[in-house]
Amino acid sequence: MSWMFKRDPVWKYLQTVQYGAHGNFSRLSYPTFFPRFEFQDVIPPDDFVTNDEDLDSVLFGTLRGHVVGLRYYTGVVNNNEMVALQREPNNPYDKNAIKVNNVNGNQVGHIKKDLAAALASIMDSKLAQVEGVVPFGANNAFTMPLHMAFWGKEENRKAVLDHLKKHGFKLLPPPKTLGFSLESGWGSGRAGPSYSMPVHAAVQMTTEQLKTEFDKLFEDLKEDDKTQEMEPAEAVETPLLPHQKQALAWMVSRENSKELPPFWEQRSDLYYNTITNFSEKDRPENVHGGILADDMGLECNVNSESVELEGNITSEKADGLIKEGSRCSTEPSISDVQEKNKYPMSEFSSPRPKRRKTVDKYIESSDSEEFETNELPQKTKGKLKNVKSEAKNRGKGSSKLKEDPEFMCALTSPTTTTKKKMLKKGASAVEDSKKTDLEEKPRTTLIICPLSVLSNWIDQFGQHIKSDVHLNFYVYYGPDRIRDPTLLSKQDIVLTTYNILTHDYGTKGDSPLHSIRWLRVILDEGHAIRNPNAQQTKAVLDLEAERRWVLTGSDTPEELRKKLVRKMKLILSSGSDEECAICLDSLTVPVITHCAHVFCKPCICQVIQNEQPNAKCPLCRNNIDGSNLLECPPEELASITEKKTSMEWTSSSKINALMHALIDLRTKNPNIKSLVVSQFTTFLSLIETPLKASGFVFTRLDGSMSQKKRVESIQCFQNTEAGSPTIMLLSLKAGGVGLNLSAASRVFLMDPAWNPAAEDQCFDRCHRLGQKQEVIITKFIVKDSVEENMLKIQNTKRELAAGAFGTKKTNANEMKQAKIDEIKTLIDL
DNA sequence: ACCGCCGGGTGCC
DNA sequence: ACCGCCGGGTGCC
């Protein structure tokens, strides 16, 4: 039963941000609201997703109570908004006190004391986790209703129920069914309201909304006047190319943006967050900046320097440009990256068409203790000229880096695309508002990059900036790095690496990186910091579970080896784009570690060598050892890669053939309509791209579409007016028998079906009453392949089927023989 | 009346 | 709070 009630991770996050990840209140003081760099975006708390407690938590039931004392607090909520319940054991009036906070961390009120008396010990003992939502009455002046859901381990259910009973409370059982309509909200009386819907209604955006928001974000980019250029500060010696000047103008304009952050809008006298339903009187702080991404790291670097100079050095230009000392930056989320691919994200990207990845680059960037143990320069301060030569001496191959085809730097990007991020930002706002007035205006830019790029930055500054310009900067790296926020915040620039960032975050003492208010944060090579947890925001759980599976039990070495190899095979063969987390390229000579992570052999060996004697897995930080790496047996590897490439090759050549046929057809008669049929919707999706590129108007029909969409699609296709679609991408199994696609007179079958009847049905759909033209069917069959043999089978089957209506009946023996022939044909005997 | 009832004062924990 | 609760005023019908 309980499988239905998956806890929304937002809850976990709300708990985390409000109580501290480990129940430790000092965790609250992490970098605050928008203005600060949110390190959590790079390194979410480990226990956010993969917590054992969450995995086996079940919903015990729900309870209705009240929030009281509203008039004493400023925190407000909206109907259906979630709230956090926080124990307040030191409350002088009641040791059982439980605060109710909104997502922003502002107190709304308290749980009424009789209920608090019952809840306090449950919360303290962690027998259950209690989640709250204010279903309605959010505008009440004195008290408001509170809907609570109790989650915990099955074995604790009874204790919780008994305890509540002792205090006179009884949980409503979880609803029997989960309604999927929004109407089944709080009002529906029977069998208890649908628990999850109001919550989701409150915090989750529909795909449409999300798209709209994204469109808005990217409209801003597009609207930006591309012709606007900006001259760099005088200190920049390297002349900027036009697109770099555009980028500079854009970055400066982004830094001075006056717009509301994404997902916020003004409603009368309140500012309203469309994701959390949270609203507040105070205007949320501006989000400045954006993501500047291109294929050419060098150019981006120069630009960042230019902005740096605009902000920090040349007063005649910088004056008034950098007004606000508050910036934040986040790693582009996965969805950002996806969006980036969808939209021409950067107006300044280099025309270089293909992304090229190099293995070498990331071998070097396997940021590690190597740097520390070698005592490479930890502190580099003063004239850049000196720094430059020092960097060169290190021989870190900066020239190679300059050829680096990939570069991404993020300037204060508003990538608040997920609700958890919104919550997080919200929760820290209070802290921020407290501090803002007390702190001095920040002046320091933090640059975070992979280790291999560190020297590049130093080098770049030296090359492009006049040597008589003094930029104070500090390389925050190495065992002796000075963790003094005062020192750091006096610099113009602090350079550090992602690993240091991660490392510091985990340490007990407050990391200066996390407490300093930065002028801006630049994430360099941001794509390199792929958080293993963030990849496939469910897959994480699977992976964790699998890894445990691999490590579980007392296997013999041979058993372990077999398991690991099997796991590696699984990873390699499943992967649409399985990449090595070190080089980010496809896996070459894949090896698996004992912690069940797969890397390229050269990549991981380099890491191990760099980090010896205590090398750790780049993904999970478990100890790894060169002698423990398992290679994929060559015969396995061959079969896997062969399968993959032949598949790809087949697909692409079929698409080529199809495109030729379609273009040919269009030339001969542009009015002819075609069905392109496949049983694989993913394959249909692949076809969309070249269709668009060749200017075809097309429509699509597959099983995933709503009835309404299907009707629209069909009507659209059947329409014969000029400009109507000439092609329909049709999923073989979509639609009922009655489907009429008689506008089509050509059918392209992209994959042979085992059952020719399905294809015939497809043919029938266009060969209907009203069909005036001859219907021509084209099948794409790969020569000398299984497909070709399947074609033979189909013909045999058709003959058999025809025979069934003929004179003699097919008996069991004949059927059997037919089957055998079928298989023989297939395997070419 | 060691009650009930009324109506004013009052209001988180 | 257009409530509940408290405690003072009050007391047949």
Side-chain angles (χ1 to χ4, degrees):
Chain A
M1 215 52 209
S2 57
W3 60 269
M4 283 195 288
F5 307 102
K6 290 279 182 206
R7 294 185 71 204
D8 188 325
V10 171
W11 287 110
K12 178 62 184 178
Y13 215 89
L14 191 57
Q15 306 280 327
T16 306
V17 295
Q18 303 228 348
Y19 308 145
H22 306 280
N24 174 354
F25 230 88
S26 69
R27 287 274 175 152
L28 259 183
S29 57
Y30 55 78
T32 50
F33 203 36
F34 284 105
R36 281 164 201 266
F37 174 35
E38 295 188 22
F39 295 90
Q40 285 70 25
D41 285 343
V42 183
I43 316 130
D46 285 345
D47 57 355
F48 170 43
V49 180
T50 56
N51 193 331
D52 286 355
E53 273 175 35
D54 294 337
L55 293 179
D56 41 27
S57 272
V58 297
L59 181 60
F60 294 158
T62 66
L63 191 63
R64 182 57 75 66
H66 284 96
V67 188
V68 297
L70 303 183
R71 64 159 148 165
Y72 302 100
Y73 306 99
T74 53
V76 289
V77 291
N78 293 290
N79 289 340
N80 283 329
E81 188 172 323
M82 66 178 76
V83 287
L85 309 185
Q86 184 184 9
R87 278 283 285 127
E88 194 185 15
N90 294 327
N91 185 299
Y93 301 94
D94 183 358
K95 62 179 172 22
N96 294 323
I98 298 168
K99 292 209 284 188
V100 178
N101 299 339
N102 66 16
V103 290
N104 214 15
N106 297 325
Q107 187 170 359
V108 178
H110 277 101
I111 298 267
K112 205 162 147 57
K113 64 173 182 296
D114 51 347
L115 179 58
L119 292 193
S121 73
I122 291 178
M123 289 175 70
D124 292 343
S125 62
K126 298 192 165 58
L127 282 177
Q129 288 170 44
V130 190
E131 303 170 345
V133 165
V134 174
F136 54 85
N139 290 326
N140 292 358
F142 305 100
T143 70
M144 56 175 69
L146 175 68
H147 195 85
M148 285 155 286
F150 289 69
W151 295 86
K153 292 185 175 168
E154 185 57 47
E155 62 259 36
N156 294 331
R157 181 194 289 267
K158 190 169 183 303
V160 170
L161 295 187
D162 287 351
H163 183 82
L164 287 171
K165 196 174 178 183
K166 215 164 58 187
H167 288 264
F169 295 101
K170 190 168 179 260
L171 292 189
L172 290 169
K176 290 278 183 288
T177 54
L178 265 189
F180 278 93
S181 81
L182 280 171
E183 286 85 343
S184 66
W186 296 92
S188 67
R190 58 176 197 93
S194 154
Y195 162 69
S196 67
M197 284 319 290
V199 179
H200 289 271
V203 296
Q204 202 159 288
M205 296 181 98
T206 64
T207 319
E208 271 310 299
Q209 282 174 305
L210 202 62
K211 193 185 173 308
T212 310
E213 289 299 330
F214 265 119
D215 285 347
K216 272 193 224 159
L217 282 177
F218 287 92
E219 264 165 30
D220 291 347
L221 283 184
K222 283 183 209 149
E223 275 171 20
D224 243 80
D225 190 356
K226 228 172 114 176
T227 59
Q228 202 73 40
E229 290 183 9
M230 185 168 174
E231 291 301 325
E234 217 179 281
V236 180
E237 287 187 318
T238 307
L240 295 195
L241 296 169
H243 71 275
Q244 290 171 328
K245 292 181 188 172
Q246 290 163 15
L248 180 60
W250 178 75
M251 285 154 84
V252 169
S253 79
R254 288 306 305 166
E255 290 218 349
N256 292 290
S257 163
K258 295 277 189 298
E259 292 155 28
L260 278 172
F263 309 113
W264 285 88
E265 56 188 55
Q266 196 168 2
R267 293 192 184 172
S268 61
D269 57 339
L270 286 177
Y271 294 91
Y272 186 83
N273 185 305
T274 54
I275 294 187
T276 60
N277 284 346
F278 174 76
S279 61
E280 63 181 340
K281 277 197 221 81
D282 297 328
R283 191 186 205 280
E285 210 161 329
N286 289 353
V287 173
H288 304 276
I291 300 170
L292 180 69
D294 72 3
D295 297 342
M296 298 282 282
L298 181 59
E299 299 172 17
C300 208
N301 253 355
V302 174
N303 266 114
S304 303
E305 288 159 26
S306 302
V307 174
E308 185 58 40
L309 289 166
E310 291 299 339
N312 286 6
I313 299 174
T314 54
S315 55
E316 81 272 16
K317 285 205 188 264
D319 243 348
L321 279 178
I322 310 295
K323 282 179 187 143
E324 313 236 300
S326 43
R327 307 286 188 271
C328 88
S329 177
T330 61
E331 176 199 3
S333 67
I334 286 173
S335 43
D336 291 325
V337 173
Q338 286 165 347
E339 287 300 319
K340 180 168 87 81
N341 294 336
K342 213 186 295 178
Y343 298 85
M345 175 99 179
S346 166
E347 302 289 344
F348 325 107
S349 53
S350 117
R352 187 179 292 202
K354 263 215 147 178
R355 292 172 15 135
R356 182 165 57 83
K357 291 175 180 176
T358 58
V359 177
D360 299 5
K361 181 182 73 183
Y362 282 100
I363 292 173
E364 289 197 352
S365 73
S366 58
D367 185 0
S368 68
E369 281 75 24
E370 179 244 6
F371 202 62
E372 299 184 355
T373 50
N374 286 355
E375 304 237 346
L376 286 161
Q378 294 105 35
K379 187 173 174 188
T380 320
K381 192 174 169 181
K383 272 199 178 184
L384 288 158
K385 210 173 174 182
N386 303 330
V387 175
K388 179 181 166 184
S389 57
E390 206 169 345
K392 284 226 162 132
N393 291 339
R394 287 182 38 214
K396 270 286 171 181
S398 58
S399 60
K400 191 198 299 180
L401 290 168
K402 269 175 236 155
E403 291 160 19
D404 179 2
E406 288 225 2
F407 185 89
M408 170 178 282
C409 69
L411 278 167
T412 66
S413 71
T415 57
T416 50
T417 56
T418 61
K419 31 186 189 170
K420 68 168 189 191
K421 287 188 184 175
M422 294 310 300
L423 293 178
K424 182 174 44 189
K425 288 179 200 310
S428 43
V430 188
E431 295 295 311
D432 190 55
S433 61
K434 282 179 199 155
K435 287 179 186 168
T436 306
D437 298 338
L438 304 173
E439 284 179 4
E440 272 184 46
K441 208 166 164 182
R443 55 165 289 174
T444 315
T445 292
L446 176 66
I447 301 175
I448 309 164
C449 61
L451 176 60
S452 60
V453 182
L454 209 55
S455 62
N456 194 32
W457 271 101
I458 299 166
D459 204 27
Q460 294 294 319
F461 275 114
Q463 278 192 22
H464 296 285
I465 298 163
K466 271 189 190 172
S467 57
D468 60 344
V469 174
H470 288 265
L471 265 188
N472 287 331
F473 78 105
Y474 181 81
V475 180
Y476 185 81
Y477 197 93
D480 299 329
R481 61 183 179 278
I482 301 170
R483 296 169 167 81
D484 175 12
T486 318
L487 171 95
L488 294 182
S489 55
K490 278 183 187 146
Q491 311 296 318
D492 295 307
I493 297 164
V494 170
L495 271 165
T496 194
T497 69
Y498 290 105
N499 271 19
I500 286 292
L501 191 69
T502 319
H503 184 265
D504 266 25
Y505 182 75
T507 55
K508 278 184 214 146
D510 272 348
S511 158
L513 296 182
H514 297 75
S515 59
I516 288 173
R517 196 173 153 81
W518 302 101
L519 171 67
R520 65 175 81 81
V521 178
I522 295 177
L523 300 183
D524 185 7
E525 298 280 3
H527 65 286
I529 34 158
R530 302 217 314 182
N531 181 341
N533 287 337
Q535 287 183 22
Q536 288 121 22
T537 311
K538 185 185 174 297
V540 173
L541 299 183
D542 290 348
L543 218 121
E544 287 302 315
E546 266 186 74
R547 191 159 66 221
R548 272 177 218 162
W549 171 74
V550 168
L551 296 172
T552 313
S554 48
D555 292 319
T556 64
E558 181 54 22
E559 281 167 354
L560 182 63
R561 195 193 69 84
K562 274 185 184 159
K563 277 188 180 179
L564 286 169
V565 168
R566 204 181 325 146
K567 160 91 181 166
M568 176 157 46
K569 268 173 64 185
L570 209 68
I571 290 175
L572 294 177
S573 56
S574 75
S576 41
D577 58 344
E578 201 54 48
E579 290 177 341
C580 166
I582 300 171
C583 67
L584 303 178
D585 209 336
S586 52
L587 288 157
T588 52
V589 197
V591 290
I592 191 162
T593 62
H594 270 207
C595 49
H597 291 113
V598 178
F599 305 98
C600 303
K601 190 178 183 182
C603 292
I604 194 67
C605 285
Q606 186 71 49
V607 168
I608 291 171
Q609 198 182 324
N610 287 345
E611 299 193 14
Q612 62 182 329
N614 297 312
K616 290 186 169 60
C617 169
L619 283 175
C620 68
R621 310 304 293 164
N622 272 311
N623 290 329
I624 48 173
D625 181 337
S627 61
N628 280 339
L629 298 175
L630 280 173
E631 274 186 54
C632 196
E635 65 276 10
E636 306 276 12
L637 197 59
S639 72
I640 290 165
T641 47
E642 193 184 314
K643 205 166 81 192
K644 234 174 156 175
T645 50
S646 86
M647 193 82 130
E648 279 163 17
W649 178 82
T650 302
S651 296
S652 64
S653 46
K654 275 189 184 177
I655 292 177
N656 277 342
L658 172 72
M659 290 310 298
H660 272 112
L662 288 174
I663 289 167
D664 195 40
L665 195 61
R666 179 169 65 181
T667 317
K668 284 178 185 152
N669 184 349
N671 296 321
I672 290 181
K673 296 203 180 203
S674 309
L675 298 181
V676 175
V677 185
S678 169
Q679 60 185 313
F680 304 109
T681 53
T682 46
F683 188 54
L684 292 177
S685 303
L686 284 179
I687 299 173
E688 289 193 16
T689 311
L691 281 182
K692 277 179 202 157
S694 302
F696 284 102
V697 182
F698 63 94
T699 180
R700 178 172 170 142
L701 189 70
D702 68 47
S704 73
M705 293 162 74
S706 67
Q707 200 51 44
K708 194 173 168 230
K709 291 265 181 207
R710 291 182 196 212
V711 171
E712 279 170 16
S713 173
I714 294 162
Q715 284 176 350
C716 196
F717 184 70
Q718 289 287 88
N719 182 358
T720 50
E721 285 168 31
S724 64
T726 56
I727 294 166
M728 173 181 273
L729 298 176
L730 180 65
S731 164
L732 189 63
K733 291 164 192 158
V737 201
L739 191 56
N740 184 351
L741 299 171
S742 58
S745 59
R746 293 293 300 254
V747 181
F748 294 94
L749 299 176
M750 302 310 292
D751 40 52
W754 287 93
N755 179 3
E759 283 182 21
D760 292 343
Q761 187 188 357
C762 202
F763 168 77
D764 288 343
R765 284 172 187 162
C766 50
H767 204 262
R768 274 177 175 272
L769 208 65
Q771 180 58 265
K772 296 184 177 71
Q773 298 153 288
E774 186 187 7
V775 175
I776 299 170
I777 298 179
T778 308
K779 284 191 193 186
F780 293 94
I781 303 297
V782 176
K783 197 167 157 36
D784 297 327
S785 71
V786 171
E787 283 189 8
E788 198 177 11
N789 297 332
M790 279 165 70
L791 192 68
K792 291 176 192 162
I793 294 176
Q794 287 184 10
N795 290 333
T796 316
K797 279 196 176 181
R798 279 206 185 83
E799 283 164 22
L800 275 177
F805 296 101
T807 49
K808 75 174 191 193
K809 292 202 171 175
T810 326
N811 64 30
N813 269 343
E814 283 169 330
M815 282 290 242
K816 202 173 165 187
Q817 189 55 48
K819 279 269 176 233
I820 292 167
D821 289 345
E822 198 174 292
I823 293 163
K824 276 186 173 176
T825 311
L826 197 62
I827 57 177
D828 236 351
L829 283 175

